[in-house]
Amino acid sequence: MQKSSKFGIRVTGDKMDSESAIIISNHASLLDHVVLAHLAQHETDETMAKPRVSFFTWFSLWTLPSTRAIRNMAKSDENWELSSNAGVHIFKSVLNSSVNDWIVIFPEVNIFNSESKSRQDYLGNKYFLPKLQHLLYPRTQSVFSLSSALSGDYKFNKMYNVTICYFARNEDSTVSLINPTLLDLFAAKSETLVVVHVKQHLIKKLKYKRPRLERWLEKVWLEKDAVVQASVDSKLTLPG
């Protein structure tokens, strides 16, 4: 665990290495990008070159937010999906590179907060979706776009399922699950702990046909929701 007097990261589950991999993660905060970059630098094999981390969101693949990514975010809806030609173009440089790459995707698309949770509950009731307590229901379209773009590729042989949750100490010394902003990171007045759980999956699961992929993602998200709840129920020790 890396920690300071105010901020710590605790990683559990399967060990990650520096080889090229697909990362599927819940989206609890903008800080998720920082946490995943931390995993690449500090939770992988010290004897190998560190992987380059890229995020596949809103029709773009980026290492740092670009004007294109921001523009696509403003123009796209939550069910965005790439055409096959666009997917080949976006991932061409990664697939042709000899660098080890981690490609991160957030199937929930939106960040979990009270507003997105309320909207999710409404849609879940309307379409009889499984109820999730701490996560948003995953969107299959973006994952299917990634799967289609990487079809037939042999660079990516690993997939990590990452669950991220944040905890802060309250004034009465109790601990609460939170969804922090970037400002919270730099202006933290209380101890914050990031709990990351990693589970490795066979990459072939990502290449299921759409109906089976949708069922698999739903199952994974129910398991992830239980992982967050288990962290909530445990007696956490925060840094500081």
Side-chain angles (χ1 to χ4, degrees):
M1 177 178 72
Q2 300 288 322
K3 69 177 184 178
S4 66
S5 60
K6 292 291 185 180
F7 191 81
I9 297 180
R10 183 177 300 166
V11 182
T12 64
D14 295 333
K15 183 174 177 55
M16 309 177 85
D17 62 39
S18 298
E19 295 180 10
S20 293
I22 304 300
I23 314 290
I24 57 171
S25 176
N26 63 309
H27 208 358
S29 167
L30 276 176
L31 290 175
D32 298 342
H33 302 89
V34 178
V35 171
L36 289 159
H38 168 91
L39 295 181
Q41 291 299 312
H42 299 286
E43 299 294 335
T44 54
D45 192 341
E46 294 293 336
T47 64
M48 296 180 63
K50 300 302 182 181
R52 176 176 57 186
V53 182
S54 301
F55 299 91
F56 178 48
T57 59
W58 303 102
F59 294 99
S60 300
L61 185 68
W62 49 273
T63 53
L64 293 173
S66 64
T67 54
R68 174 183 292 181
I70 294 171
R71 184 172 63 250
N72 288 342
M73 188 180 301
K75 292 169 58 179
S76 306
D77 68 23
E78 298 165 348
N79 295 309
W80 64 273
E81 182 174 351
L82 287 177
S83 67
S84 57
N85 289 337
V88 170
H89 174 73
I90 286 176
F91 290 101
K92 182 178 180 180
S93 61
V94 169
L95 295 177
N96 291 336
S97 171
S98 60
V99 174
N100 286 339
D101 283 285
W102 280 7
I103 296 180
V104 179
I105 186 167
F106 300 108
E108 294 167 314
V109 182
N110 294 316
I111 294 173
F112 183 94
N113 54 38
S114 58
E115 181 181 349
S116 60
K117 175 67 164 60
S118 177
R119 184 167 61 251
Q120 171 64 55
D121 288 345
Y122 169 77
L123 293 174
N125 290 331
K126 183 177 181 180
Y127 295 107
F128 305 101
L129 300 176
K131 188 171 180 60
L132 298 169
Q133 186 68 27
H134 306 291
L135 307 177
L136 302 178
Y137 192 80
R139 310 281 177 158
T140 308
Q141 288 87 338
S142 58
V143 181
F144 187 75
S145 292
L146 175 62
S147 172
S148 299
L150 300 180
S151 178
D153 172 68
Y154 297 98
K155 178 176 180 176
F156 294 91
N157 296 311
K158 294 189 175 184
M159 175 170 58
Y160 296 110
N161 165 18
V162 174
T163 305
I164 305 173
C165 43
Y166 302 83
F167 294 89
R169 191 191 308 277
N170 303 315
E171 291 183 358
D172 62 359
S173 296
T174 59
V175 175
S176 296
L177 181 68
I178 62 171
N179 299 97
T181 65
L182 289 175
L183 180 61
D184 293 330
L185 173 64
F186 296 108
K189 295 181 180 179
S190 63
E191 296 87 352
T192 300
L193 176 67
V194 187
V195 177
V196 181
H197 184 74
V198 180
K199 183 176 181 180
Q200 186 172 341
H201 291 279
L202 297 174
I203 194 69
K204 69 178 184 180
K205 294 182 182 295
L206 193 64
K207 299 181 180 181
Y208 286 156
K209 293 184 178 180
R210 190 190 295 258
R212 191 178 181 188
L213 178 63
E214 184 172 359
R215 293 193 299 271
W216 178 76
L217 267 180
E218 182 179 280
K219 177 177 179 290
V220 167
W221 246 249
L222 288 169
E223 293 172 351
K224 289 167 79 70
D225 200 52
V227 167
V228 178
Q229 185 60 50
S231 294
V232 171
D233 293 338
S234 66
K235 295 182 179 180
L236 292 170
T237 301
L238 270 63

